[in-house]
Amino acid sequence: DVVLAAQEGDFSKTVVADFDDPELNELAGNLNSLVATVKGGLEETILVLQAMKSSDLTKRVEGNFSGAFSELRDGVNHSADGLSSVLHSLRDTSRTVGSSMTDLLEGVSELSTQTATQASTLEQTSAALQSFTEAVEQTSKQTSEMRTIARGTQNKAQEGGTVMQEATEAIDRVATSSKKVTEITSVIESI
């Protein structure tokens, strides 16, 4: 009965060792010891695997086993250690990426503010130069050289405004990419 139960995965049965023959009692004791060893090894392994399934990576197989059960214990414990190490690395990487993304977003925000301020200043400068050009044209129509210089300055200011507008668009694209990276970071942190 004990052997048949063990073959079906039931290690709860034991042989009652109360025979008149000492060899049969020893055989029964050895069989009970074998069943107890198998039961202990499997129960500890199952407990650790169930804990891992429940995201508890602190459990390990503790029993003093030899042979195949020693290899099983070491393999399960090594797997739990490896998985724990990977999850800690992922958590640390996720925190580092999150921190970097925060710094990047702050930098982009600051750059965007500076760019907007410079664009406003450049726009005011452009408006002032345009007024200056009109004043120069009204007061000294005969001085074509001054008129040429003023127009050149105005063109450079307009080119600067175009460059600033392109920079603002590039910053907007960086901000969009940063949002996507933040979403990826959130997914990694939830994992």
Side-chain angles (χ1 to χ4, degrees), residues 39-75:
K39 179 180 178 184
L42 289 176
E43 284 177 348
E44 281 199 50
T45 301
I46 288 169
L47 286 175
V48 171
L49 293 175
Q50 285 176 340
M52 288 170 66
K53 180 181 175 185
S54 300
S55 300
D56 178 3
L57 300 178
T58 61
K59 303 277 191 239
R60 299 294 183 268
V61 177
E62 303 286 335
N64 187 15
F65 300 105
S66 59
F69 283 110
S70 174
E71 291 177 21
L72 178 62
R73 176 196 60 210
D74 295 344

Side-chain angles (χ1 to χ4, degrees), residues 1-11 13-15 31 34-35:
D1 288 344
V2 172
V3 171
L4 289 176
Q7 286 175 345
E8 293 178 8
D10 178 5
F11 299 99
K13 297 187 179 199
T14 57
V15 176
L31 183 59
L34 173 65
V35 169

Side-chain angles (χ1 to χ4, degrees), residues 118-190:
Q118 289 175 355
S120 174
T121 302
L122 191 58
E123 188 177 322
Q124 291 172 358
T125 302
S126 178
L129 285 174
Q130 188 173 2
S131 295
F132 176 74
T133 301
E134 291 172 0
V136 168
E137 285 177 356
Q138 288 175 2
T139 57
S140 53
K141 288 185 179 181
Q142 290 86 20
T143 313
S144 63
E145 183 179 325
M146 289 296 275
R147 201 176 315 145
T148 302
I149 291 172
R151 285 185 184 147
T153 303
Q154 180 181 1
N155 288 340
K156 288 192 186 272
Q158 289 173 345
E159 289 173 8
T162 301
V163 168
M164 291 308 292
Q165 182 179 0
E166 290 172 359
T168 301
E169 291 171 0
I171 288 171
D172 288 341
R173 289 191 300 270
V174 168
T176 301
S177 296
S178 294
K179 287 179 185 175
K180 290 180 182 176
V181 170
T182 300
E183 291 172 4
I184 292 169
T185 300
S186 296
V187 171
I188 291 172
E189 286 178 337
S190 69

